[in-house]
């Protein structure tokens, strides 16, 4: 949760620029706050697919676990901000992620976005890795506007890559292959494979609960209530 301070020397304006929040909205989000990012919570802003917009009267600029944050953690530009143990942890638990910045747009931290040649190389790499990647909005929700490379043709994948670069704020990410879980259907008496996504709530006091959503293994790669009608919520029962 110290990511903004460590990558940008405590400059939240530079952090906001990196994830696409403009100066005016960034100042609004921090109004009345301590200036120190909270370790949990969310900013009073939403991303409509093109830019951040205001939804509330105030709040803090907080780290909210978006794909853009993962891209920052795995971006080699910032590897020097972490010690060897932290870099090993990032490499072990996080999927490869890269932000697709339009050439010439700010990449945060006072650095320009990749030059046209560097961006072209990144897009070419994403084309080569189509079957291993997903492409999603950096501040999306529920799997909306998310594309799974292995479910796209080469032409479809090329089109969504070009749109992502033009709009900015999109993340190409290595797809984590889930392990199906056997689920018993009491109506039919059959056991079928399902895929589940588990969300964990954490506060300064530690574990604070969980939520889970799931769909059949043959129901699509995106387990999202907003984007996949076959997805449903599942009860989570904790054992001491």
């Amino acid at each position: 949760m110290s990511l903004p301070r460590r990558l940008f020397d405590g400059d939240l304006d530079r952090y906001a620029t990196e994830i696409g929040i403009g100066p005016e909205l960034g100042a609004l989000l921090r109004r009345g706050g301590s200036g120190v990012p909270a370790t949990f919570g969310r900013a009073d802003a939403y991303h409509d697919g093109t830019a951040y917009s205001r939804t509330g009267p105030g709040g803090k600029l907080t780290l909210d676990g978006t794909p853009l944050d993962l891209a920052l953690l795995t971006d080699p530009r910032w590897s020097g901000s972490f010690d060897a143990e932290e870099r090993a942890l990032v490499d072990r638990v996080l999927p490869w992620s890269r932000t697709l910045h339009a050439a010439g747009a700010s990449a945060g931290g006072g650095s320009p976005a990749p030059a046209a040649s560097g961006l072209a190389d990144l897009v070419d790499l994403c084309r080569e890795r189509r079957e291993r990647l997903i492409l999603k909005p950096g501040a999306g929700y529920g799997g909306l506007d998310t594309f799974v490379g292995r479910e796209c043709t080469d032409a479809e994948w090329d089109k969504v890559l070009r749109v992502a670069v033009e709009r900015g704020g999109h993340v190409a990410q290595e797809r984590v292959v889930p392990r199906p879980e056997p689920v018993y259907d009491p109506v039919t008496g059959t056991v079928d494979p399902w895929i589940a996504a588990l969300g964990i709530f954490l506060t300064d006091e530690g574990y604070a609960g969980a939520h889970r959503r799931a769909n059949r293994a043959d129901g699509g790669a995106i387990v999202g209530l907003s984007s996949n009608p076959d997805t449903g919520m599942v009860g989570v029962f904790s054992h001491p």
Side-chain angles (χ1 to χ4, degrees):
M1 292 303 166
S2 62
L3 183 63
R5 297 191 301 275
R6 296 179 62 178
L7 296 188
F8 304 100
D9 300 321
D11 189 338
L12 292 184
D13 289 329
R14 290 165 62 189
Y15 173 73
T17 298
E18 175 69 28
I19 65 173
I21 295 178
E24 183 177 353
L25 181 56
L28 176 64
L29 294 177
R30 296 197 304 275
R31 184 179 299 168
S34 67
V36 179
T39 56
F40 55 92
R42 63 187 302 165
D44 293 318
Y46 75 99
H47 198 284
D48 63 6
T50 59
Y52 280 95
S53 301
R54 173 184 173 183
T55 61
K60 294 182 182 178
L61 180 63
T62 61
L63 181 63
D64 197 28
T66 70
L68 284 171
D69 299 320
L70 294 182
L72 290 177
L73 285 169
T74 61
D75 193 322
R77 289 182 300 159
W78 311 116
S79 61
S81 299
F82 308 100
D83 60 32
E85 184 177 356
E86 290 169 330
R87 286 196 298 271
L89 177 64
V90 168
D91 292 340
R92 180 171 62 85
V93 303
L94 293 183
W96 179 93
S97 307
R98 291 294 183 273
T99 303
L100 297 177
H101 287 288
S106 173
S111 301
S117 59
L119 180 61
D121 289 342
L122 177 57
V123 172
D124 286 342
L125 182 61
C126 290
R127 289 194 184 101
E128 294 173 7
R129 296 184 178 183
R130 174 178 62 79
E131 294 195 356
R132 297 167 48 190
L133 298 180
I134 60 176
L135 187 66
K136 62 177 68 175
Y141 174 79
L144 294 173
D145 296 321
T146 296
F147 296 89
V148 181
R150 68 186 183 91
E151 296 179 356
C152 297
T153 64
D154 286 337
E156 291 170 338
W157 186 245
D158 183 68
K159 180 179 179 179
V160 297
L161 282 173
R162 285 189 282 107
V163 171
V165 170
E166 291 171 1
R167 292 183 177 178
H170 283 64
V171 173
Q173 191 173 82
E174 183 178 5
R175 175 176 174 262
V176 176
V177 180
R179 181 182 64 185
E181 301 182 26
V183 175
Y184 173 73
D185 188 329
V187 176
T188 64
T190 60
V191 176
D192 301 303
W194 282 61
I195 295 174
L198 183 67
I200 303 296
F201 297 104
L202 297 174
T203 72
D204 288 342
E205 303 301 320
Y207 175 75
H211 70 90
R212 202 177 209 198
R213 57 190 187 276
N215 56 246
R216 295 173 60 94
D218 58 2
I222 300 175
V223 185
L225 295 172
S226 301
S227 57
N228 189 338
D230 295 325
T231 299
M233 294 301 296
V234 182
V236 177
F237 300 93
S238 300
H239 188 279

